[in-house]
Amino acid sequence: MDGAAVPDGQRGDEDDRGGLRAALGGLTTRGRSFLAAGVAAAACAYVLGQADLLRVGLLLAALPLICVLVLHRTRYRVAASRRLTPQRVETGTEARVQLRMENVSKLPTGLLMLQDHVPYMLGPRPRFVLDRVEAGGRREVSYRVRSDLRGRFPLGPLQLRLNDPFGMCELTRSFSAYDTLTVVPRTEALPPVKLFGEASGYGDGQSRSLALAGDDDDVIPRTYRHGDDLRRVHWRSTARYGELMVRREELPQRARCTVLLDTRRIAFQGAGPDSAFEWAVSGTASALVHMLERGYAVRLLTDTGSAIPGEGAEGFAGSAQDSAEAAGLMMDTLAVVDHSEGGGLSRASDVLRGGGDGLLIAFLGDLDEEQAALAARMRGRSGAAVAFVLDSGTWLTGGAVAGAVEDRVRQLREAGWTALAVPPGASLADLWQQAAGLRPETAAADTYGGWS
């Protein structure tokens, strides 16, 4: 970047004229005052016929103009870079931004002032003053940002300000590059307990599946392929089909978990970091991370019917190696998730209708009678289901959980859910522990599991 010319370094007449106009527009208050005083002195000298006063006026008017011309013709070539560590942080956690300036020209620079554009949610706009930078030299400065609100925040572009030695003119040039800081919901460590209805095995829940050796393998066993272990030869099938056949191995299949987040605007009242909706988002993030750490194939589902990560079978991560990438994708989604305008949970119910296996964890807002009945029916499509029901009205007043919410919780329990009402400011870890020891009212007829 050229410090005092067009950022792309163009030198055409039109660009020079545009740069000169920009330089004139960069006159500081001191420069404008000198120019005005010089013009006034020259006018008075003309009227009064005072030659000495005319010389003084011309000197006063010429000084800022000379500074503008010198600053305009000064060609600094400065390279800048920004490093953000880390690029994804939880709410209330700091990230470090490191700026690096390098003088790639053959001339030393004068005084440089740096200013990085930062959204107000991340703190005040950082400003730095760099003294003379020698030819080929570099300088590094850093600052920290933090946000109590989740979201994606752009950092940049970086601005470079140039001043003449007399402070008559100031030019600002901007770099084009910027970075993005993703602030995800804060997660809470959950106790490693087993919820009612969970299966057992790998990922605290596993089944056995056949390892397909190719797209054409529809039956057991399969045709022998070069490199197969001869100890896997299935002689009875070999005699039946007239060619060498081998058994297909069984591999563990990751247990599945769906975390449902209710984002309906009508289901949540209030806003801000301490609102019921933000608690639900944070709880969803905590559940996702916890189940991924336990080896589950996890997906995020909202009331709009969108499933994240959306790849693999029915929206789940395809393999254990995808867990880190899937977790990042789901956390990025939660960083920007907002209220939906939908009125019900029917779309989420339609998605769950396609698969009846796995664990379902739901964070629900205010439920009317119709939506409570619909949520109750979702339990029949899952191996086990745990619901955290929030009454956003009590979160605004700080009172006790309303009786209507208790009725909804009771309705969910009667349908087989492990359901709990969430009081204002509750700890998800405590509720998680409580859910592990809670037996649904229909558990006597449940065939999916037992006590933890």
Side-chain angles (χ1 to χ4, degrees), residues 374-394:
L374 180 59
R377 291 195 295 270
M378 294 181 187
R379 164 62 180 86
R381 299 159 189 164
S382 302
V386 182
F388 300 94
V389 184
L390 292 93
D391 178 17
S392 58
T394 62

Side-chain angles (χ1 to χ4, degrees), residues 150-423:
R150 54 186 176 81
R152 292 173 61 87
F153 304 102
L155 301 178
L158 180 66
Q159 284 187 340
L160 178 65
R161 291 185 179 181
L162 305 175
N163 290 81
D164 66 277
F166 300 100
M168 298 289 180
C169 184
E170 179 181 274
L171 292 182
T172 301
R173 293 292 180 263
S174 296
F175 294 85
S176 59
Y178 69 94
D179 292 278
T180 301
L181 174 67
T182 302
V183 182
V184 301
R186 181 180 294 275
T187 58
E188 185 177 354
L190 303 181
V193 296
K194 186 177 177 182
L195 303 174
F196 182 86
E198 284 191 70
S200 60
Y202 171 66
D204 291 333
Q206 80 167 357
S207 59
R208 307 295 297 182
S209 66
L210 296 175
L212 299 180
D215 294 335
D216 58 341
D217 291 331
D218 298 323
V219 297
I220 301 175
R222 63 169 176 82
T223 306
Y224 173 84
R225 292 195 178 102
H226 179 71
D228 286 337
D229 191 345
L230 292 178
R231 289 174 296 183
R232 293 171 50 203
V233 174
H234 193 262
W235 296 109
R236 181 178 299 178
S237 298
T238 298
R240 178 181 178 182
Y241 292 103
E243 56 181 330
L244 203 58
M245 306 292 290
V246 296
R247 296 184 299 272
R248 288 189 288 178
E249 292 181 345
E250 289 186 342
L251 295 177
Q253 182 182 19
R254 302 179 71 197
R256 294 179 174 182
C257 175
T258 299
V259 182
L260 171 63
L261 173 62
D262 183 5
T263 65
R264 295 172 299 139
R265 186 179 301 275
I266 62 174
F268 293 94
Q269 304 178 41
D274 298 327
S275 64
F277 180 68
E278 291 301 322
W279 190 96
V281 174
S282 179
T284 300
S286 301
L288 289 171
V289 172
H290 178 72
M291 301 310 293
L292 283 171
E293 290 176 349
R294 292 180 59 180
Y296 276 75
V298 182
R299 69 175 174 181
L300 169 64
L301 179 65
T302 66
D303 59 287
T304 61
S306 59
I308 306 297
E311 297 179 357
E314 299 176 0
F316 294 89
S319 64
Q321 289 75 15
D322 297 334
S323 293
E325 182 179 353
L329 181 59
M330 289 185 286
M331 295 301 286
D332 288 345
T333 301
L334 291 177
V336 297
V337 69
D338 200 356
H339 291 292
S340 69
E341 301 301 330
L345 303 171
S346 58
R347 294 183 179 179
S349 178
D350 292 338
V351 175
L352 293 173
R353 185 179 302 160
D357 58 339
L359 174 66
L360 173 61
I361 303 174
F363 292 84
L364 305 174
D366 299 335
L367 298 174
D368 55 23
E369 184 176 353
E370 179 183 356
Q371 297 307 314
L374 180 59
R377 291 195 295 270
M378 294 181 187
R379 164 62 180 86
R381 299 159 189 164
S382 302
V386 182
F388 300 94
V389 184
L390 292 93
D391 178 17
S392 58
T394 62
W395 282 71
L396 289 176
T397 61
V401 176
V405 179
E406 295 290 356
D407 293 339
R408 304 303 182 216
V409 170
R410 187 179 305 108
Q411 184 178 355
L412 293 177
R413 289 180 179 178
E414 291 174 353
W417 284 81
T418 301
L420 298 96
V422 181

